[in-house]
Amino acid sequence: MTSTVPSSPSLGKPSTNIDDLGRQIQLVPRPLFAQWGVRRVGPAETGGVPGPSTLQLVAVLRYSDSDLRELQSRARKLSGSSPVREDFFLPWMPDSVRQSFESRPGQVGLWLKGELHDAAPFVGALFDGGNGTFFVTSDGYVVVVMSR
């Protein structure tokens, strides 16, 4: 059985509806603010081997300080990160998302300056079998990227 995302916002036109986001991923604790979208990423978009498409969810969340600490305490820190391309940054993202990355001499892409966490605290609903990561910007936004 294939799950679909019939009314999900695109990354170009994100939603701020926290209840709808909660139908896509688990939101415990519940954020104070969310801006998010979903896109279908397939071989044509990534230049990869032909195969099925993947759904990718990108969300920028804001939590109270205590909820953010609780969320981070449940998440596993990852030991490394992969570079992102310039198209990772979406027009609706806060400036602090872009400022969370840096270029490295002799390396391609932009690299996260801070800690990367496994997105296990968000796994649920439509993205129950997916994988992903999140990081926290210097001004406290939580950026979640999940795929399935």
Side-chain angles (χ1 to χ4, degrees):
M1 183 166 117
T2 303
S3 298
T4 59
V5 189
S7 61
S8 292
S10 71
L11 292 182
K13 294 185 179 181
S15 173
T16 56
N17 189 312
I18 295 172
D19 293 331
D20 285 349
L21 179 58
R23 293 190 230 339
Q24 309 293 321
I25 62 175
Q26 180 171 274
L27 293 174
V28 178
R30 183 181 170 87
L32 303 171
F33 167 84
Q35 194 163 19
W36 64 282
V38 175
R39 69 176 162 190
R40 190 168 298 281
V41 179
E45 293 84 2
T46 62
V49 177
S53 294
T54 298
L55 289 178
Q56 183 184 60
L57 178 141
V58 177
V60 176
L61 310 173
R62 173 72 84 179
Y63 288 94
S64 68
D65 291 343
S66 60
D67 284 348
L68 178 57
R69 283 190 300 276
E70 191 262 321
L71 178 68
Q72 288 177 300
S73 73
R74 293 185 310 151
R76 181 174 52 96
K77 291 180 190 171
L78 300 175
S79 59
S81 68
S82 299
V84 299
R85 299 183 326 198
E86 194 64 41
D87 62 358
F88 171 79
F89 306 103
L90 302 166
W92 49 266
M93 289 179 163
D95 290 340
S96 59
V97 174
R98 178 84 161 88
Q99 294 164 0
S100 297
F101 290 81
E102 64 187 356
S103 59
R104 293 182 180 170
Q107 296 188 358
V108 176
L110 297 167
W111 297 80
L112 183 65
K113 292 189 240 181
E115 295 177 340
L116 187 66
H117 301 270
D118 181 73
F122 298 100
V123 172
L126 183 60
F127 284 81
D128 63 348
N131 58 54
T133 57
F134 77 91
F135 63 91
V136 181
T137 65
S138 61
D139 58 353
Y141 285 103
V142 174
V143 180
V144 180
V145 180
M146 295 185 72
S147 299
R148 73 158 198 93

